[in-house]
Amino acid sequence: MLVPTVIESKRNSLYLNFRELWEFKELLYFLAWRDMKARYAQTVLGIAWAVIQPLAAMAIFTIVFSLWARLPSDGLPYPLFAYAALLPWTLLAKSLERSGQSVVAESNLVKKVYFPRVILPIASTLAGVIDFFIALVLLLLLMGWYGITPTWKVIAIPALVLFTIGTSLAVSLWLSALNVHYRDVAGAIPLLTQLWMYASPVVYPLSLVPEQWRAVYSLNPMVGIIEGFRWALLGGAAPDTGTAIVSASATGILLLTGLVFFNRMSRTFSDIV
């Protein structure tokens, strides 16, 4: 005899049922794996695209911002300086590109089957993690070329990756829910990521930002993340404690408010999407 399943709307918008997420872990794994396979299906270079994009960006930034504009790089070789920042940045940008449209892209699934809707932006965010680690291997090779040896600071990398994923997910919750109601969001995401990159210390060092503006500047969560990656991988200056606290707090607030917003909007996804 089949036991009927009763699905009740959650009154608390901050509610996140981890037990339910665990029950749907296979769906989460399937969606993340499918996203990654679809990205490289029928491509000649396949997974090599995971390093080609940041490598090409590093080459262009080196020519434009180091050779021509003569921007400083805190005493580090500029190609490594830029590539270490592009690692977390590429993870964030690709996550936003996919997860911003994750709910609309799965409209058939959303209309027909119940599952925790938050799985969709989470799966799209996690799909880029493998690309990140492939690109990280190339950075280690570049460090060997420049004679820089990793130190004990690399133990901070897993925490920094989680920090980047948390930031990606926080913004994705907002964008994916908004995109269900306003499809302009999908078109605005590339512009948003482009502007966000130049508002982050990817091509220039934090030291170029006037000291009186750094507290405000650090509200951008990517400031603490990028500075952390350079410190952990290249032995650059240790991230300022105040900068790290402000960036982490901004991510936490974005994540909590994003979860509230997504949960409220998700009640009408199946009617609108």
Side-chain angles (χ1 to χ4, degrees):
M1 178 179 178
L2 292 175
V3 178
T5 301
V6 178
I7 301 170
E8 296 180 344
S9 175
K10 307 296 184 299
R11 291 182 180 278
N12 185 355
S13 296
L14 196 55
Y15 185 80
L16 183 61
N17 191 335
F18 288 101
R19 182 178 177 183
E20 191 178 49
L21 287 179
W22 179 253
E23 290 173 355
F24 284 89
K25 61 182 181 301
E26 291 181 0
L27 177 62
L28 176 62
Y29 170 78
F30 168 77
L31 291 173
W33 181 248
R34 188 203 57 184
D35 278 2
M36 197 191 70
K37 285 182 65 179
R39 195 160 62 253
Y40 299 116
Q42 296 183 325
T43 61
V44 175
L45 299 178
I47 201 74
W49 284 108
V51 296
I52 289 174
Q53 291 180 10
L55 198 59
M58 178 197 75
I60 292 170
F61 290 165
T62 300
I63 292 170
V64 174
F65 297 106
S66 179
L67 299 181
W68 293 349
R70 301 288 182 184
L71 288 183
S73 56
D74 288 342
L76 297 167
Y78 192 88
L80 289 182
F81 174 84
Y83 193 90
L86 283 166
L87 274 180
W89 180 258
T90 305
L91 175 58
L92 173 88
K94 287 186 175 180
S95 295
L96 296 187
E97 180 186 327
R98 289 186 300 270
S99 57
Q101 304 185 54
S102 57
V103 178
V104 173
E106 300 295 343
S107 58
N108 289 332
L109 199 60
V110 170
K111 288 178 180 177
K112 295 175 182 174
V113 184
Y114 172 77
F115 62 94
R117 305 312 193 209
V118 75
I119 277 181
L120 296 174
I122 292 176
S124 297
T125 300
L126 295 179
V129 174
I130 293 178
D131 287 0
F132 168 85
F133 282 106
I134 293 171
L136 178 61
V137 172
L138 179 61
L139 176 63
L140 296 175
L141 294 175
L142 288 171
M143 288 168 62
W145 174 267
Y146 281 97
I148 295 178
T149 306
T151 66
W152 61 268
K153 298 172 184 173
V154 295
I155 60 174
I157 293 298
L160 290 167
V161 172
L162 287 176
F163 194 180
T164 310
I165 291 173
T167 303
S168 303
L169 181 60
V171 181
S172 298
L173 289 170
W174 283 94
L175 295 179
S176 58
L178 282 171
N179 191 45
V180 174
H181 289 263
Y182 310 102
R183 303 301 165 87
D184 311 71
V185 173
I189 289 175
L191 175 62
L192 169 69
T193 53
Q194 192 85 5
L195 294 175
W196 194 357
M197 188 190 77
Y198 286 107
S200 305
V202 174
V203 299
Y204 54 86
L206 178 61
S207 56
L208 280 188
V209 178
E211 197 164 344
Q212 66 268 30
W213 289 103
R214 285 186 195 168
V216 177
Y217 184 69
S218 301
L219 288 172
N220 173 359
M222 291 307 292
V223 173
I225 291 172
I226 289 170
E227 288 297 302
F229 267 93
R230 284 180 178 143
W231 167 76
L233 289 166
L234 306 179
D240 178 71
T241 306
T243 299
I245 291 174
V246 172
S247 294
S249 301
T251 296
I253 292 170
L254 263 179
L255 193 56
L256 289 176
T257 54
L259 184 61
V260 170
F261 183 70
F262 187 91
N263 280 341
R264 286 188 177 175
M265 301 290 276
S266 67
R267 295 167 187 162
T268 58
F269 280 171
S270 57
D271 299 324
I272 299 173
V273 73

